[in-house]
Amino acid sequence: MSNVYRRKRSESEMEFYNTAIELRKQITKLCMREKVFPKRYRFVYSIPIIELARDMTQNITFANSIYPTNQSEAELRRTYQIQAIGCCEALLQEFQYAYEVLPIPENTARKITAMLLRESKMLRGWKKKDVSRYMFDE
């Protein structure tokens, strides 16, 4: 247990990863609820949303597994970061579309939308930080 007050704690450098994992859990649980996503809509809404959440976390993992020592590795890491941001934005768009069509509870939709917006912001910050950190001259 930490001795630092919660309000005085700073954000972890890996918070984008933890948030992505939590998002994936929450989205998968929601998409598997029969009352919210009826079976006849699973192929249209649930499966694409779940796949985007999986792709986002995989791209984050791939990018984070690369410790750049040269320009090509830095570019590969950046590519995965860009793909993760793209998945996050697509996920937000798909989720908003599902919210307009399906009976997703408003408080749940707000919570997931807020998490997605926060995740997108953190991923963009991570990418920006890497630009300044891994500037290689070859």
Side-chain angles (χ1 to χ4, degrees):
M1 193 140 158
S2 178
N3 291 332
V4 179
Y5 289 114
R6 185 174 293 224
R7 68 179 180 270
K8 292 189 177 187
R9 292 181 197 160
S10 63
E11 194 172 84
S12 165
E13 282 190 32
M14 291 295 292
E15 189 63 29
F16 61 88
Y17 179 78
N18 297 330
T19 303
I21 296 299
E22 185 60 29
L23 258 169
R24 186 174 178 190
K25 280 193 259 182
Q26 295 297 324
I27 286 171
T28 303
K29 283 181 189 177
L30 179 68
C31 287
M32 298 311 290
R33 286 179 45 201
E34 179 69 33
K35 289 183 179 180
V36 179
F37 286 84
K39 282 187 181 180
R40 67 178 177 265
Y41 291 118
R42 292 256 167 91
F43 286 110
V44 178
Y45 298 106
S46 296
I47 293 173
I49 289 172
I50 291 170
E51 285 178 353
L52 279 169
R54 185 198 65 218
D55 292 346
M56 181 182 68
T57 56
Q58 283 181 343
N59 283 314
I60 291 169
T61 302
F62 294 156
N64 198 48
S65 68
I66 299 169
Y67 184 79
T69 56
N70 58 44
Q71 188 66 37
S72 64
E73 289 175 349
E75 289 171 6
L76 182 61
R77 180 175 166 118
R78 183 176 171 87
T79 300
Y80 283 125
Q81 289 172 329
I82 291 168
Q83 289 176 353
I85 292 167
C87 286
C88 188
E89 293 297 324
L91 188 55
L92 179 62
Q93 192 172 34
E94 287 292 319
F95 187 74
Q96 287 176 338
Y97 180 64
Y99 174 70
E100 292 174 9
V101 177
L102 299 172
I104 299 173
E106 188 175 339
N107 60 343
T108 303
R110 267 197 210 134
K111 179 182 173 188
I112 290 177
T113 301
M115 287 176 74
L116 284 167
L117 291 171
R118 183 170 176 252
E119 180 68 9
S120 180
K121 183 179 177 183
M122 286 188 291
L123 289 173
R124 289 173 197 282
W126 178 41
K127 186 179 92 170
K128 188 175 182 180
K129 188 185 240 184
D130 272 11
V131 167
S132 63
R133 186 184 304 164
Y134 299 119
M135 295 298 288
F136 293 105
D137 295 325
E138 287 188 5

